[in-house]
């Protein structure tokens, strides 16, 4: 039983029990028909309170190859800087294998990864690194490494800070963390489990006295930011937007760290840093990274375009870089209102379980090949799901103050209609006392392992499980009460666990949908116009029109008409060899036509004119 403090409606602190963290079988419809009512899951426990276990639920993580989770639980709330907290390793039945001592007050983030060290006495296992950032009167940041098997502290330090909004990654024996300290973007690499510092350095720091620079060129050259809304040079704050560990084709382990400026007034960079000594191997400038995804020897980046094109831009952009050299391999861009200037990257199989996992899901660009950036499959907008495991997707539906947990197959198995709704495998009502319906249930953790029945064993007892294998889902979240004119509604947290009904097995994953066909090459007409009038087009649109008229007879034999002249002469020209690649007026990256200058995609107004000329 996890004991946690909650605040009653009167404001007093009370102690509540959190029982049994067991949950759900994932499954499919072995023997179930689509038209049959889905069976109901069993609620094992729930806790809806002001400062219950849902308060820090976003930090909950699963321990691989077990059915246990690591949870941050509040102990004493009401301090000037929030709640005191502990970490517990919790079995499916709610028994805590161990509970840590109280952590410092502040923002808590957990990172779990391998601590394998070749030629070491401690050659395998996991380690959880806890980042604690306090933004009170005296800003502080610290790291604590804990053995998740025993709860013992491996090392702790306040000299290796992740800082605010930390980004981190693990590899075999190395922990990389980056964040903001003061106004600086900072990163450190630590050997696990010894805690040996491999590097600890500032990645980007602001310049001061920036208001003295009167031109944008001088402003940016001196590391300052140019405010495009109220034109002028400003000081900047730098953050770490992404942190990844990778190994080059030559076997060198490097840290990939991307920086972003807090107000989008300056362009960030992507750094390749040697883990062994912290030296910068390569640096890709004018690349303000928002997210990254590492696949093989390519790091795919979503680029924050506001620092380049201004705060009102609708251009979304992704780039692929070589891990070894930092060379840009490709760029894709377009205008889009749906992604609002930003793109979340992920494995394609997590967005659509029918797709290969070596493709990258990149929003409006679909599922892309990391080597070329080409779209291999189109992806519909991802359904709102909290988690997915073994072909089963878990989501929450809400109506009013009620909500429901829904487990469904990850994709439709209707070969004749790939967009048909997925089959619902089972469902369970969420606790009715959770105000706001499904809104508070914003996170879920799914683990697979041996299950146990609910238990009243105290928190500090060690339990052993002999129950059948099951899939465990723990759900939770927190909503801060809205404030208006000095009055604030109560905040509340929620957490719960459910178990699926027996007899449900994971469904077979449907085959991948057909991909797009090959991109057609230039037509005979386009090739002839390029041969005759490419030079005239670089002079002006009028000279290009005259040139097409002079060669009308030959162009007509190639199938050209008036609409082709408009498309060719009145379309913007771009240079595909430019670095970074040029962006056309419609937001698309300059295409590579094999020439020094290429035609941008035609604009909507030009396409309308072409249609009128048909």
């Amino acid at each position: 039983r996890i004991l946690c403090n909650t605040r009653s409606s009167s404001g007093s602190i009370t102690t509540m029990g959190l029982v049994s963290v067991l949950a759900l079988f994932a499954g499919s419809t072995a023997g179930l028909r689509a038209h049959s009512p889905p069976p109901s899951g069993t609620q094992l426990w729930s806790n809806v309170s002001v400062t219950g276990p849902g308060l820090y639920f976003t930090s909950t993580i699963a321990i691989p190859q077990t059915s246990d989770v690591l949870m941050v639980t509040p102990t004493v709330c009401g301090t000037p800087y929030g709640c005191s907290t502990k970490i517990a390793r919790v079995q499916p039945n709610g028994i805590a294998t161990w509970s840590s001592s109280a952590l410092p007050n502040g923002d808590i983030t957990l990172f779990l990864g391998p601590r394998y060290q070749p030629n070491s006495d401690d050659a395998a296992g996991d380690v959880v690194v806890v980042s604690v950032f306090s933004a009170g009167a005296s800003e502080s940041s610290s790291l604590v490494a804990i053995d998740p098997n025993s709860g013992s502290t491996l090392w702790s330090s306040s000299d290796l800070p992740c800082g605010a909004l930390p980004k981190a990654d693990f590899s075999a024996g190395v922990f990389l963390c980056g964040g903001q300290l003061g106004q600086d973007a900072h990163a450190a690499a630590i050997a696990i489990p010894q805690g040996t510092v491999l590097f600890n350095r500032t990645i980007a720091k602001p310049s001061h006295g920036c208001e003295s620079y009167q031109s944008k060129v001088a402003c940016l050259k001196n590391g300052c930011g140019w405010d495009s809304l109220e034109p002028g040079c400003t000081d900047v704050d730098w953050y770490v937007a992404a942190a990844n560990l990778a190994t080059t084709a030559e076997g060198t382990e490097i840290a990939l760290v991307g920086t972003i400026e807090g107000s989008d007034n300056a362009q960030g960079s992507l750094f390749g840093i040697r883990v062994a000594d912290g030296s910068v191997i390569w640096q890709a400038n004018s690349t303000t990274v928002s997210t990254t995804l590492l696949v093989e020897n390519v790091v795919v980046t979503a680029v924050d375009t506001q620092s380049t094109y201004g705060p009102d831009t609708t251009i979304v952009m992704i780039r692929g870089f070589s891990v070894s050299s930092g060379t840009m391999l490709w760029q894709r861009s377009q205008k889009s209102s749906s992604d609002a200037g930003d793109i979340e990257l992920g494995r394609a199989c997590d967005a659509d379980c029918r797709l290969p996992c070596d493709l990258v899901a990149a929003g409006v660009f679909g599922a892309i090949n990391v080597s070329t950036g080409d779209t291999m499959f189109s992806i519909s907008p991802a359904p709102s799901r909290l988690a997915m495991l073994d072909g089963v997707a878990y989501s929450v539906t809400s109506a009013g103050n009620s909500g429901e947990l829904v487990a469904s197959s990850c994709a439709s198995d209707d070969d004749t209609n790939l967009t048909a709704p997925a089959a619902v495998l089972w469902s369970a009502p969420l606790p009715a006392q959770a105000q706001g319906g499904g809104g508070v249930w914003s996170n879920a953790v799914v683990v697979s392992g041996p299950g146990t029945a609910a238990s009243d064993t105290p928190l500090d007892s060690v339990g052993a499980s002999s129950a059948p294998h099951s899939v465990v889902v723990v759900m939770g979240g927190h909503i801060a009460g809205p404030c208006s004119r000095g009055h604030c509604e109560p905040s509340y947290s929620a957490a719960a666990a459910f178990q699926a009904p027996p007899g449900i097995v994971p469904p077979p994953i449907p085959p991948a949908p057909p991909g797009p066909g090959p991109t057609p090459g230039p037509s005979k007409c386009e090739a002839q116009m390029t041969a005759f009038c490419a030079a005239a087009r670089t002079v002006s649109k009028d000279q290009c029109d005259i040139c097409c008229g002079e060669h009308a007879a030959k162009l007509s034999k190639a199938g050209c008409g008036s609409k082709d002249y408009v498309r060719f002469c009145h379309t913007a020209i771009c240079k595909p060899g430019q670095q970074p690649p040029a962006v056309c007026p419609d937001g698309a990256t300059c295409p590579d036509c094999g020439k020094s200058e290429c035609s941008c995609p035609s604009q909507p107004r030009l396409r309308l004119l072409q249609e009128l000329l048909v």
Side-chain angles (χ1 to χ4, degrees), residues 175-432:
F175 174 71
L176 170 69
C177 191
Q180 186 192 44
L181 279 179
Q183 293 179 302
D184 299 347
H186 197 90
I190 304 102
I192 302 295
Q194 301 94 330
T196 305
V197 180
L198 301 175
F199 74 78
N200 181 15
R201 57 169 297 163
T202 298
I203 304 299
K205 62 191 316 180
S207 298
H208 298 287
C210 293
E211 62 277 0
S212 62
Y213 299 109
Q214 301 301 313
S215 71
K216 183 176 181 179
V217 173
C219 176
L220 298 179
K221 182 179 179 180
N222 286 276
C224 302
W226 186 261
D227 190 340
S228 57
L229 293 179
E230 298 180 3
C233 197
T234 64
D235 295 339
V236 295
D237 292 342
W238 289 103
Y239 296 82
V240 170
N244 297 96
L245 286 164
T247 302
T248 68
E250 298 75 27
T252 303
E253 188 165 24
I254 67 172
L256 303 170
V257 181
T259 59
I260 188 170
E261 195 275 316
S263 300
D264 282 319
N265 290 328
Q267 293 181 328
S269 299
L270 179 65
F271 296 84
I273 302 171
R274 192 188 309 272
V275 169
D277 57 14
S279 61
V280 175
I281 300 176
W282 54 261
Q283 179 176 343
N285 294 321
S286 303
T287 299
T288 306
V289 173
S290 58
T291 56
T292 59
L293 188 68
L294 187 65
V295 181
E296 299 176 348
N297 197 41
V298 177
V299 56
V300 181
T301 66
V303 180
D304 184 331
T305 58
Q306 293 183 355
S307 60
T308 303
Y309 302 108
D312 297 327
T313 185
T314 59
I315 293 177
V316 291
M317 182 181 293
I318 55 176
R319 290 173 177 168
F321 291 89
S322 166
V323 168
S324 299
S325 64
T327 302
M328 187 188 303
L329 304 175
W330 50 263
Q331 173 181 294
R332 298 280 303 278
S333 61
Q334 70 177 64
K335 289 185 178 179
S336 171
S337 57
S338 59
D339 282 293
D342 199 4
I343 284 184
E344 290 295 329
L345 301 175
R347 298 190 309 169
C349 59
D350 292 333
D352 187 330
C353 61
R354 301 169 296 176
L355 301 181
C357 289
D358 59 355
L359 300 180
V360 172
V364 296
F365 300 103
I368 64 169
N369 179 301
V370 297
S371 299
T372 63
D374 294 337
T375 298
M376 308 306 293
F377 298 94
S378 297
I379 299 179
S380 301
S384 178
R385 64 168 69 109
L386 300 181
M388 184 167 65
L389 181 70
D390 294 336
V392 179
Y394 301 90
S395 59
V396 166
T397 62
S398 61
N401 283 337
S402 63
E404 186 177 47
L405 168 65
V406 177
S408 58
S409 56
C410 65
S412 171
D413 57 2
D414 187 348
D415 294 335
T416 62
N417 182 9
L418 296 177
T419 62
V424 175
L425 308 176
W426 61 271
S427 62
L430 298 172

Side-chain angles (χ1 to χ4, degrees), residues 118-173:
N119 304 319
S120 170
D121 293 334
D122 189 4
D126 291 324
V127 62
V128 56
V129 177
V130 185
S131 169
V132 183
F133 176 75
S134 300
S138 57
E139 182 178 292
S140 65
S141 181
S142 60
L143 294 176
V144 181
I146 297 175
D147 183 338
N149 295 316
S150 64
S152 60
T153 298
L154 301 174
W155 52 262
S156 63
S157 177
S158 58
D159 299 325
L160 304 173
C162 291
L165 304 175
K167 305 292 182 181
D169 193 18
F170 277 93
S171 71

